[in-house]
Amino acid sequence: QVLSHNLYTVLCIPHDPVALEEHFRDDDDGPVSSQGYMPYLNKYILDKVEEGAFVKENFDELCWTLTAKKNYKPDRNGNSVVSHQDAFKLWCLFNFLSEDKYPLVMVPDEVEYLLKKICTAMNVELNSCELDDCLAQEPQGQGGLTVWQFLDMVNSGRLLRGIEQEAISMAVEEVYQEVIEDVLKQAGSPRGYLWKKGQLRRNWSERWFMLKPSALSYYMSEERKEKKGSIALDKHCCVEVLPDRDGKRCMFCVKTSSRTYEMSASDTRQRQEWTLAIQTAIRLQAEGKKSLHKDLKQKRREQREQREQRKAAKEEETQRLKQLQEEKERKLQELELLKEAQRQAEMLLQEEEQRRRQQHEEMQRTLEIQLREAEQARASMQAEMVLKEAEAERQRKRIMELEEMQERLQEALQQEVKARQDEEAVRYAQARLLAEEEEKLKQLMKLKEEQEEYIIKTQLEKQVLKQEMENKNKCLEEAQKQLEEVRVNRQRVDQDVMAAQRKLRQASTNVKHWNVQMNRLMHPIMPGDKRTNVSGGGFAGYQPLLGRRDSSLK
């Protein structure tokens, strides 16, 4: 109940004690664990929180009070490097810079970043070697340090040795304001105050300024007890450097949409620092970013991820090179084995070559014997060739006779083809006449049908349509005459077709006759045949046939 009451108070939520009793009504025996309290915390408290409705610092102080008593262990003798309040601010900085996962840890890069900012605020240099030793000694779970390990490391004094606690406290306060409170720039010493020109009286007043991303506020003093005003910054604002005038030097102005604020710095360096800081705040407003360090934290995280990716890629490349080296060694071993196999193969090849040489010599002797036998066979073949040449001469003469016979057959075939073409032309003309006859018959039938229709109508209008019927009769007679002419033409074409068919049959008879003569001539001449029979009965035997062929063609 006390915890819930405090959370209701710091988060500015209306108190609801009845909800706690109703939530734990069925389970009110014994203490409440964190797992048992979380559903109530989420439902009745955290779900009702509105952003910007509570003070973040008060909520941080409550969480620090709940956790520090059990986990934070400062030096009991009072020799701690940082005070209790500074430890709280370091705890807030740790929560801001830690990774966005539970349990919260801060990676070594962010630890080094935070310690460097604190050392820079004190104008000292961080001992990186000492930091590496401390990080190596600390057990890092989940890839980083917990907040209590971080505070113990700072309180150990190894990193901030020889520095007064007051200087450390001022540095922690400056980093806390810059990171947690989003203070981009403030005047931290009397000489760092800025002079501001009034709007109404136009006089110059010394003010202590503090810059945040959304506004440039100014106070009477650095205690910030009396706020004199604030300059709202947006993307339409700008900062410009002014020339010295009115006895003031190192002047600059901030222009907003409604007013121009003139200010004077103590020196040129301070003016440059303020103009750059104000330009940074305007740039954040233009980009829609509320916190500079949240943006820087995200960029550092992306850089770490890129480094991890490059590291993983490098390790992968190393592994790949290692595999390639192993593969190379394995290939070399295989190459040695191949060389050994090659040497053995060369030895076998030499043995095979010697055996082949012996076989070649034996084969050469065998070929010489066969060559002598071939010479003897050649002499016998030459004698046979003389006889073959004489036989070939007789065959050439017979072939010439056959070629002449083939030419005559080709002429007969051409005549037959021409007769067939004539027959096709006559058939085509006959088909055309038949088509015309059918067309005329259709017209005649159509005229007859029309005549019948007109006859039916003439029973009612006989006197009116008598002349039309006579015209139709005349047309019918003309059509009948045309039909008769078509029939006469058809008979004439049929006679032409019959004459062409007779010619075709006569040409076919001639072709058959020449085929018979060709078959007789194709009979081969045997070695025992007498040449007188061939020469005596050559063309003389063909004379009657040629006479019959000429008479048939006529």
Side-chain angles (χ1 to χ4, degrees):
Q1 288 180 352
V2 174
L3 174 61
S4 301
H5 180 83
N6 281 279
L7 289 173
Y8 278 123
T9 301
V10 298
L11 295 174
C12 300
I13 301 173
H15 292 259
D16 190 3
V18 180
L20 181 64
E21 297 178 359
E22 292 180 353
H23 183 76
F24 292 101
R25 178 179 300 171
D26 298 333
D27 186 14
D28 57 354
D29 296 334
V32 178
S33 64
S34 59
Q35 289 81 6
Y37 185 70
M38 286 302 296
Y40 169 78
L41 176 65
N42 290 325
K43 182 177 181 181
Y44 293 99
I45 299 178
L46 297 182
D47 289 348
K48 298 179 181 180
V49 176
E50 296 180 1
E51 187 176 358
F54 63 95
V55 180
K56 179 70 166 52
E57 185 176 356
N58 295 338
F59 180 73
D60 290 339
E61 289 179 355
L62 175 61
C63 296
W64 166 256
T65 303
L66 294 173
T67 56
K69 186 176 181 180
K70 180 179 179 181
N71 298 288
Y72 180 52
K73 299 175 182 179
D75 193 344
R76 296 181 179 180
N77 299 325
N79 296 325
S80 299
V81 176
V82 295
S83 63
H84 192 78
Q85 186 64 22
D86 293 337
F88 161 68
K89 294 176 181 178
L90 289 174
W91 178 82
C92 294
L93 291 168
F94 178 93
N95 291 334
F96 181 83
L97 298 174
S98 61
E99 298 298 303
D100 297 333
K101 57 184 178 180
Y102 188 82
L104 295 181
V105 294
M106 187 159 58
V107 296
D109 291 344
E110 292 296 314
V111 174
E112 183 179 3
Y113 171 77
L114 177 57
L115 293 176
K116 278 185 177 180
K117 287 195 71 67
I118 294 174
C119 291
T120 303
M122 296 184 294
N123 294 323
V124 297
E125 186 177 357
L126 177 65
N127 191 345
S128 300
C129 297
E130 193 70 30
L131 175 61
D132 294 338
D133 293 339
C134 292
L135 292 175
Q137 294 175 4
E138 292 288 343
Q140 298 182 15
Q142 303 293 330
L145 296 178
T146 64
V147 63
W148 313 117
Q149 290 175 330
F150 173 71
L151 292 176
D152 291 341
M153 183 176 65
V154 174
N155 276 324
S156 65
R158 295 176 59 183
L159 302 174
L160 303 176
R161 187 180 293 111
I163 303 176
E164 297 181 358
Q165 187 177 13
E166 184 178 357
I168 296 174
S169 180
M170 292 176 63
V172 170
E173 174 65 22
E174 181 178 345
V175 175
Y176 177 82
Q177 290 183 2
E178 179 183 352
V179 176
I180 304 300
E181 296 182 357
D182 288 328
V183 177
L184 300 180
K185 178 69 176 172
Q186 60 181 346
S189 62
R191 69 176 183 84
Y193 279 51
L194 298 178
W195 289 87
K196 174 185 170 296
K197 189 174 185 180
Q199 181 181 8
L200 299 177
R201 292 187 295 176
R202 310 300 291 173
N203 61 331
W204 291 87
S205 303
E206 192 177 30
R207 297 287 183 259
W208 190 86
F209 281 81
M210 184 175 68
L211 176 63
K212 291 187 176 183
S214 59
L216 176 63
S217 304
Y218 48 95
Y219 303 82
M220 285 293 295
S221 63
E222 58 183 313
E223 286 79 10
R224 293 184 293 173
K225 294 182 179 179
E226 185 180 355
K227 184 176 181 180
K228 300 300 292 181
S230 178
I231 304 173
L233 300 177
D234 54 27
K235 62 181 180 180
H236 303 292
C237 298
C238 65
V239 57
E240 295 180 359
V241 176
L242 301 177
D244 298 341
R245 66 172 183 269
D246 298 337
K248 295 295 179 181
R249 54 192 295 271
C250 302
M251 294 180 59
F252 65 96
C253 68
V254 178
K255 293 183 178 181
T256 65
S257 57
S258 59
R259 181 182 168 187
T260 300
Y261 297 86
E262 297 182 6
M263 284 160 278
S264 172
S266 58
D267 52 29
T268 306
R269 179 181 177 183
Q270 189 184 29
R271 178 177 66 178
Q272 184 178 6
E273 291 176 355
W274 274 101
T275 54
L276 291 176
I278 296 172
Q279 288 173 355
T280 302
I282 296 172
R283 177 177 58 82
L284 291 176
Q285 291 295 320
E287 295 175 356
K289 299 175 181 177
K290 297 182 179 180
S291 173
L292 174 63
H293 285 277
K294 286 182 180 178
D295 184 35
L296 295 176
K297 174 186 173 183
Q298 183 64 28
K299 290 181 179 179
R300 290 196 302 273
R301 180 176 299 173
E302 292 175 356
Q303 292 175 358
R304 284 198 304 273
E305 292 175 355
Q306 292 176 359
R307 287 199 301 270
E308 290 296 330
Q309 292 175 358
R310 288 194 296 269
K311 183 178 179 181
K314 187 176 180 180
E315 291 177 354
E316 184 180 354
E317 183 68 18
T318 304
Q319 186 68 21
R320 190 176 66 83
L321 291 175
K322 184 177 180 182
Q323 292 177 357
L324 290 175
Q325 185 67 23
E326 294 176 355
E327 183 70 17
K328 182 179 179 181
E329 293 177 357
R330 186 174 62 81
K331 293 289 186 184
L332 290 174
Q333 293 176 359
E334 293 178 355
L335 185 60
E336 291 295 332
L337 294 175
L338 289 174
K339 287 181 179 179
E340 183 65 25
Q342 185 179 5
R343 286 194 294 270
Q344 295 178 0
E346 288 177 355
M347 293 175 62
L348 293 174
L349 186 61
Q350 291 176 359
E351 295 175 356
E352 183 68 23
E353 184 67 24
Q354 187 176 1
R355 187 168 59 253
R356 191 181 297 110
R357 192 179 297 112
Q358 293 175 358
Q359 292 177 356
H360 181 70
E361 291 175 356
E362 294 177 358
M363 188 179 296
Q364 188 174 4
R365 288 193 294 269
T366 306
L367 289 174
E368 289 176 355
I369 296 170
Q370 292 177 355
L371 183 60
R372 287 194 294 270
E373 294 176 353
E375 289 292 336
Q376 296 175 0
R378 179 183 177 185
S380 61
M381 288 178 65
Q382 285 179 352
E384 292 179 359
M385 285 293 295
V386 174
L387 299 175
K388 294 291 184 180
E389 287 178 357
E391 184 68 23
E393 185 65 25
R394 291 194 297 270
Q395 293 291 340
R396 281 196 293 272
K397 292 180 180 180
R398 187 66 178 273
I399 289 170
M400 290 175 63
E401 294 174 357
L402 292 174
E403 287 178 352
E404 292 177 358
M405 185 65 67
Q406 185 180 5
E407 290 177 358
R408 295 173 183 175
L409 288 173
Q410 285 179 354
E411 292 177 358
L413 286 173
Q414 289 177 358
Q415 292 175 1
E416 182 180 1
V417 169
K418 185 176 180 181
R420 288 183 181 275
Q421 291 177 352
D422 294 340
E423 183 182 2
E424 290 294 331
V426 172
R427 286 183 179 178
Y428 176 75
Q430 184 181 7
R432 182 172 55 79
L433 292 173
L434 288 173
E436 292 178 357
E437 182 179 358
E438 290 179 358
E439 184 68 24
K440 295 297 181 180
L441 285 173
K442 288 180 182 179
Q443 293 178 1
L444 181 60
M445 294 299 295
K446 185 176 180 181
L447 291 172
K448 285 182 179 181
E449 291 175 359
E450 292 178 356
Q451 184 180 10
E452 290 176 357
E453 292 177 359
Y454 281 121
I455 289 172
I456 295 171
K457 292 180 180 179
T458 52
Q459 291 178 0
L460 301 175
E461 300 176 354
K462 186 175 181 180
Q463 298 298 328
V464 179
L465 302 176
K466 184 176 181 180
Q467 189 65 31
E468 292 181 1
M469 188 175 69
E470 291 176 357
N471 294 333
K472 293 293 182 180
N473 289 331
K474 290 180 181 180
C475 293
L476 181 60
E477 291 174 358
E478 292 177 359
Q480 288 177 352
K481 290 179 181 180
Q482 292 177 0
L483 181 60
E484 289 298 330
E485 292 177 358
V486 170
R487 286 176 179 174
V488 172
N489 293 333
R490 178 182 176 184
Q491 291 176 0
R492 189 180 303 111
V493 170
D494 289 340
Q495 292 175 1
D496 295 338
V497 169
M498 290 175 65
Q501 288 177 351
R502 284 195 301 271
K503 290 180 181 180
L504 181 61
R505 284 194 297 271
Q506 188 174 0
S508 298
T509 303
N510 294 334
V511 170
K512 289 179 182 179
H513 174 73
W514 288 111
N515 285 334
V516 171
Q517 296 298 326
M518 179 63 73
N519 290 331
R520 291 177 182 176
L521 291 174
M522 290 297 292
H523 179 68
I525 300 173
M526 302 303 292
D529 292 344
K530 296 182 180 180
R531 297 176 58 84
T532 55
N533 294 334
V534 177
S535 60
F539 289 103
Y542 294 130
Q543 294 298 328
L545 296 175
L546 292 173
R548 287 197 297 268
R549 177 175 175 270
D550 294 337
S551 62
S552 63
L553 291 175
K554 290 178 180 180

